[in-house]
Amino acid sequence: AWESLAKWKALSDRSSLPIFHEAGALYLYRHEAANITESLHLQAQMGIPTQRIELNDLVEKFPQFGYDDIQFGIYQPTMGALMARRSLHLLEREFLAAGGQVVQAKVLAPKSGASLDTVRTSDGQSFSADSYIFACGPWLPKVFPDVVGDRIKATRQEVFFFQPEHGVDMFDVSRMPAW
């Protein structure tokens, strides 16, 4: 995500509608863990701004969240929310305008360790390109088990759409981070 952030921001600047909302990202934790410390260390090495926020400060800074059993949070102020569908449609338009070709097809999984000079589809087509994009979402590990393995774990996320009362701005993109 960090490596692509500048490109998403540039795409957002070219768009008539925002693609990326720099609202920050907030991660909430119930307890200390070694992997959190390791992640913060790695992010510092990469130059990714992070802030550890203790519970009392979380409640004050982001009162719109519930903090039952939460001990602290990690806030990344330069991150945010990417409007996925909008951004992909814009990228597709730009790609096609530049002479690219978009194909939606069921691709046969490549063999592990084999070069990816050509991809084949279930209907018998073959395509050769310098690079490929496999937009598999949470199915990526199932489509490429030999390549991805267990490095990606998809978790189910409930999505709720709601609208606050008129005049309540605590949920505006300027006041509420992605989480």
Side-chain angles (χ1 to χ4, degrees):
W2 180 249
E3 291 86 5
S4 65
L5 187 57
K7 291 181 181 180
W8 287 119
K9 288 180 178 182
L11 181 66
S12 191
D13 291 344
R14 292 193 309 269
S15 175
S16 59
L17 294 171
I19 298 294
F20 178 76
H21 296 280
E22 191 171 313
L26 180 63
Y27 304 90
L28 302 173
Y29 298 97
R30 291 188 169 107
H31 53 78
E32 297 288 346
N35 64 331
I36 298 169
T37 304
E38 291 167 8
S39 176
L40 288 172
H41 180 70
L42 177 62
Q43 291 177 69
Q45 287 179 329
M46 295 175 69
I48 301 173
T50 58
Q51 302 167 3
R52 180 188 169 108
I53 305 175
E54 299 303 325
L55 179 58
N56 289 340
D57 294 327
L58 281 171
V59 171
E60 186 177 321
K61 186 172 176 90
F62 302 114
Q64 59 274 68
F65 289 96
Y67 295 105
D68 293 345
D69 301 322
I70 297 299
Q71 184 180 354
F72 66 97
I74 302 297
Y75 180 61
Q76 296 173 317
T78 58
M79 299 302 176
L82 181 66
M83 312 294 10
R85 180 180 300 253
R86 188 182 300 163
S87 63
L88 290 177
H89 285 299
L90 179 59
L91 282 172
E92 180 181 37
R93 281 195 307 270
E94 289 185 358
F95 182 67
L96 290 171
Q101 178 185 9
V102 174
V103 176
Q104 291 184 3
K106 181 178 179 182
V107 174
L108 302 176
K111 303 247 187 279
S112 180
S115 65
L116 202 55
D117 299 326
T118 303
V119 293
R120 299 193 192 307
T121 64
S122 61
D123 63 0
Q125 297 182 75
S126 332
F127 297 94
S128 295
D130 293 333
S131 44
Y132 305 92
I133 297 173
F134 298 96
C136 305
W139 298 277
L140 189 66
K142 290 182 181 178
V143 175
F144 300 107
D146 293 343
V147 178
V148 177
D150 63 356
R151 289 182 285 183
I152 295 176
K153 299 256 190 252
T155 59
R156 180 180 173 175
Q157 304 298 318
E158 301 291 340
V159 177
F160 299 95
F161 296 93
F162 58 91
Q163 180 174 343
E165 294 178 26
H166 181 70
V168 174
D169 68 351
M170 68 177 12
F171 300 104
D172 288 352
V173 72
S174 63
R175 301 213 31 225
M176 182 172 173
W179 78 99

